Amino acid sequence: ENGLAETRHTFLAGNGLPGRLRDGFHVAELGFGTGLNLLALWQMAQGAGVAVRYTGFEAFPISADEASRAIAPFAPAFPDLAETLTAHWPEQGGNFTAPGLVAEIIPGDARQTLPAWQGRADAWFLDGFSPAKNPELWEPALLAEVARHTAPSGTFATYTAAGHVRRALSEAGFTVSRQPGYGRKRHMSTGTLA
């Protein structure tokens, strides 16, 4: 279905955005992928007149050419932002800064890279592949690290409503709720760090 509409429903609205945005608001994501979620966040922040921080954890970074092709169908929705992102594409990870955004992409297995990260996010986009296909991104130990790297009253949103994921996030310290999903997905999950 519409990937951008799903991003806006699941990750942005699921984290109470744009209402919570402020200068320096920090979003972290498990699964940077094509950068679509970052583009949607960045555009929303610009519309709100604030500058945000973003950290993406990605085990398998794609090339700039692959990213450009993947983003192309959505580029009209992000007139200048998509071009800026692909021009600064972090193939090997790293940092880039643009008006309204300070971004960091951390390559490698999040089970190793997240525990070493010094940051704390105000909101998380938990966007790994489905728990059945990518179970390592949904392990209780990793979700406990998500909680450990979340600011007080920080939030998460994810398209999955799998019971074991919700339980692991609850055990990690989040108050978890099941919400209506996007399109054919009946449910998704959101939560706030207790």
Side-chain angles (χ1 to χ4, degrees):
E1 296 194 31
N2 186 326
L4 180 55
E6 183 174 16
T7 287
R8 289 176 172 150
H9 175 87
T10 304
F11 298 114
L12 300 179
N15 275 295
L17 307 179
R20 296 173 57 218
L21 289 179
R22 57 176 162 61
D23 280 324
F25 190 87
H26 195 161
V27 172
E29 178 172 24
L30 292 183
F32 175 61
T34 64
L36 180 62
N37 297 340
L38 169 59
L39 284 170
L41 169 69
W42 187 12
Q43 182 180 59
M44 180 177 275
Q46 284 194 334
V50 299
V52 294
R53 295 171 59 207
Y54 171 91
T55 302
F57 295 86
E58 178 56 59
F60 304 104
I62 63 176
S63 72
D65 286 343
E66 290 169 316
S68 186
R69 284 193 303 276
I71 291 171
F74 304 103
F78 308 104
D80 298 319
L81 302 184
E83 187 176 313
T84 300
L85 177 60
T86 54
H88 294 90
W89 189 257
E91 285 192 19
Q92 307 303 319
N95 304 312
F96 72 93
T97 302
L101 176 70
V102 174
E104 173 186 29
I105 309 305
I106 300 175
D109 188 325
R111 293 173 294 181
Q112 278 80 52
T113 58
L114 178 54
W117 186 49
Q118 298 301 308
R120 292 176 88 186
D122 296 297
W124 280 91
F125 299 168
L126 301 182
D127 191 25
F129 287 114
S130 74
K133 295 180 182 171
N134 192 205
E136 59 273 13
L137 278 185
W138 305 100
E139 292 176 356
L142 182 58
L143 297 177
E145 287 295 331
V146 166
R148 194 170 75 80
H149 290 88
T150 300
S153 300
T155 60
F156 79 84
T158 180
Y159 59 83
T160 187
H164 72 279
V165 171
R166 292 195 339 263
R167 283 189 297 278
L169 285 160
S170 180
E171 288 167 7
F174 288 97
T175 300
V176 178
S177 63
R178 195 167 68 169
Q179 304 289 336
Y182 176 79
R184 293 176 295 183
K185 294 180 180 173
R186 290 183 53 209
H187 299 109
M188 57 178 262
S189 301
T190 63
T192 302
L193 193 64

